[in-house]
DNA sequence: TTTTATGTGTCAAAAAAGTGACATCACTGT
DNA sequence: ACAGTGATGTCACTTTTTTGACACATAAAA
């Protein structure tokens, strides 16, 4: 599981701030919010974030000024910033790079759009991992992009959890995975699933992959392991 | 002497942009360059070109979105576009792009190769896209240019959204498309539609293509996938 | 044999997808 | 301007599938 990205929202309208926080959290980001530009600088001083959403119209120091101050800090100069602006506000200055904004969204905005833009920026430049990766061991073939699993050339239908579990075991082939680590990596960190539940999923997985079931080995007292290509 | 062809380069990296301009000019093209997708649209609005070289990773509006916007303009819908993409970037989206890139080049590229591709497309007169205008899978035939769909030789009338959705699924045949990604590529980023809306469109699409409905597979927890016609 | 860790069948709750109905909105032709 | 039409997006409700948890059966250590 990838580490969650941190986002700082600088917005004086409580409602908007709350709306943003709600949506960002829902999309899997850690979200912090402050009211003023000064607060923002103070906050950033101690805990840098991965992206900043900055309202243009703020009490005292406005968004532009705040942005400029942020850019002054060496370790913050490269942090992506998305401006929130009311319609008709000085879009020109934002667009013109003068301030090094990475994007801007006009209020009233749709949360979905904002989230998309945030994701676009966060993921910018990152190759799409996993996509089109095909894992193949023994008579087992797993195509991640297609979400297909073949056992001896025949397709086997796996559910999400089974699929994830299988992929993880394959990626860490040969190494024992404790139930705890499987929980961490296959399930959400926050989920409160019993470790024994994993056994149930392993059972189902073994049933479905039939002939290859033996490839998933039980390591008593430790966890499970996908057998390294047999000899 | 034939009139020189005009080419627009949309690229935010100054060096690459310069390199391109130099080589294109040397090969006898008129070359213009802009930094952002927005600039590109503005430029094209007043002076249409014969070909566009478009970086995928741009500040603010990315290459995909820019392409979508360009294709929206009637007089620009047919302009050939070559994408510049970093290795590992979403080639998938490019080849399967609903609005169709004409070609793409992976960075770092050799100027010579790019020039060759540019010439190939300019001289072809017709973009590569035309070759693939007709998608045919099983008993389903989709003619993109004519916006016609045949199921078992009989025409089926699809609405715009249904059509786009179908084409996208077909171009990415076999690969699972998440609702999110469908929203991104079939709808506009600014449009604010629920992911569940896609289900409704899928439903309607399935109804209309009748016998072939089964070709659109549901992948629980992930999205939809058009059945690969193998085995 | 006793103890402990896994394997398994079953079940209810939860999650995801299918579907029909309805409200809008943009167009069309009158 | 206005009713008529069809495309779209949302919702509420239904149906289907997946998941997590147990209780009990088994197999491995001690």
């Amino acid at each position: 599981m990838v580490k969650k990205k941190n986002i700082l929202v600088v917005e004086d309208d409580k409602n908007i701030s709350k709306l943003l926080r709600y949506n960002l959290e829902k999309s899997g980001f850690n979200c912090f919010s402050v009211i003023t530009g000064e607060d923002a600088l103070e906050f950033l001083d101690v805990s840098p974030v991965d992206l900043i959403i900055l309202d243009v119209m703020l009490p005292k120091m406005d968004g532009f000024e705040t942005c400029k101050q942020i850019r002054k800090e060496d370790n913050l100069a490269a942090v992506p910033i998305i401006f929130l602006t009311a319609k008709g506000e000085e879009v020109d200055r934002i667009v013109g790079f003068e301030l090094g904004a990475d994007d801007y969204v006009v209020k009233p905005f749709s949360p979905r759009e904002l989230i998309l833009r945030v994701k676009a920026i966060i993921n910018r430049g990152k190759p799409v991992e996993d996509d089109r990766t095909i894992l193949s061991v023994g008579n087992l073939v797993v195509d991640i992009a297609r979400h297909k699993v073949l056992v001896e050339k025949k397709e086997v239908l796996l559910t999400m959890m089974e699929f994830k579990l299988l992929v993880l075991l394959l990626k860490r082939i040969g190494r024992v995975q404790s139930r705890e680590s499987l929980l961490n990596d296959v399930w959400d960190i926050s989920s409160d699933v019993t470790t024994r539940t994993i056994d149930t999923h392993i059972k189902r997985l073994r049933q479905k992959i039939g002939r290859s079931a033996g490839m998933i080995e039980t390591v008593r007292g430790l966890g499970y392991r996908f057998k390294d290509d047999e000899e």
Side-chain angles (χ1 to χ4, degrees), chain A:
Chain A
M1 192 82 206
V2 198
K3 190 170 146 280
K4 276 196 184 181
K5 296 290 182 179
N6 297 317
I7 295 181
L8 175 65
V9 174
V10 190
E11 163 70 59
D12 60 324
D13 183 320
K14 291 252 172 77
N15 291 318
I16 295 181
S17 186
K18 203 165 140 192
L19 175 72
L20 282 175
R21 202 162 50 234
Y22 172 74
N23 281 286
L24 287 167
E25 298 276 354
K26 209 175 59 176
S27 297
F29 297 103
N30 282 327
C31 193
F32 307 95
S33 49
V34 296
I35 312 286
T36 69
E38 288 84 351
D39 293 347
L41 289 169
E42 200 170 310
F43 181 91
L44 289 169
D45 197 36
V46 288
S47 45
V49 296
D50 300 295
L51 185 142
I52 302 170
I53 296 177
L54 185 54
D55 191 18
V56 167
M57 214 177 77
L58 291 171
K60 282 178 287 185
M61 184 162 70
D62 74 8
F64 296 121
E65 188 52 32
T66 307
C67 177
K68 247 185 267 181
Q69 296 298 328
I70 290 174
R71 292 299 190 218
K72 268 189 192 161
E73 305 287 323
D74 280 350
N75 60 326
L76 294 174
V79 181
I81 296 182
I82 294 181
F83 274 106
L84 283 185
T85 163
K87 200 172 163 183
E89 258 171 7
E90 319 176 53
V91 177
D92 285 351
R93 285 185 71 193
I94 301 173
V95 178
F97 278 118
E98 191 198 331
L99 294 158
D102 292 81
D103 204 345
Y104 68 96
V105 175
V106 177
K107 289 195 265 192
F109 56 88
S110 89
R112 196 186 80 84
E113 183 184 350
L114 181 68
I115 296 291
L116 280 177
R117 289 184 191 277
V118 168
K119 283 185 181 169
I121 288 178
I122 293 265
N123 295 325
R124 183 196 283 167
K126 283 210 190 121
V128 185
E129 210 218 331
D130 274 4
D131 212 14
R132 82 176 59 217
T133 298
I134 295 179
L135 303 168
S136 171
V137 179
N139 49 18
L140 187 74
V141 180
V142 180
D143 185 325
I144 299 183
R146 288 165 205 275
H147 196 267
K148 278 198 175 180
V149 175
L150 304 183
V151 178
E152 291 165 332
K153 315 282 185 197
K154 281 184 32 204
E155 178 165 7
V156 165
L157 300 176
L158 297 188
T159 68
M160 269 304 258
M161 286 309 185
E162 289 154 8
F163 193 84
K164 284 197 204 169
L165 187 56
L166 177 58
V167 168
L168 194 85
L169 286 171
L170 280 175
K171 284 194 171 171
R172 313 228 177 118
I173 192 165
R175 280 168 289 169
V176 181
Q177 301 303 309
S178 70
R179 292 187 172 65
E180 284 73 24
S181 94
L182 288 174
L183 271 191
N184 267 321
D185 299 336
V186 175
W187 278 260
D188 279 336
I189 311 107
S190 51
S191 90
D192 52 346
V193 183
T194 306
T195 52
R196 276 318 297 290
T197 295
I198 287 172
D199 297 40
T200 299
H201 282 271
I202 291 281
K203 169 193 63 180
R204 290 175 183 146
L205 194 48
R206 280 173 171 160
Q207 276 171 357
K208 290 198 183 177
I209 63 176
R211 190 69 41 72
S212 302
M215 308 278 288
I216 299 176
E217 301 176 304
T218 302
V219 181
R220 230 183 144 71
L222 287 179
Y224 297 96
R225 168 177 61 190
F226 203 97
K227 196 151 124 200
D228 227 335
D229 233 353
E230 77 262 59
E231 322 69 43

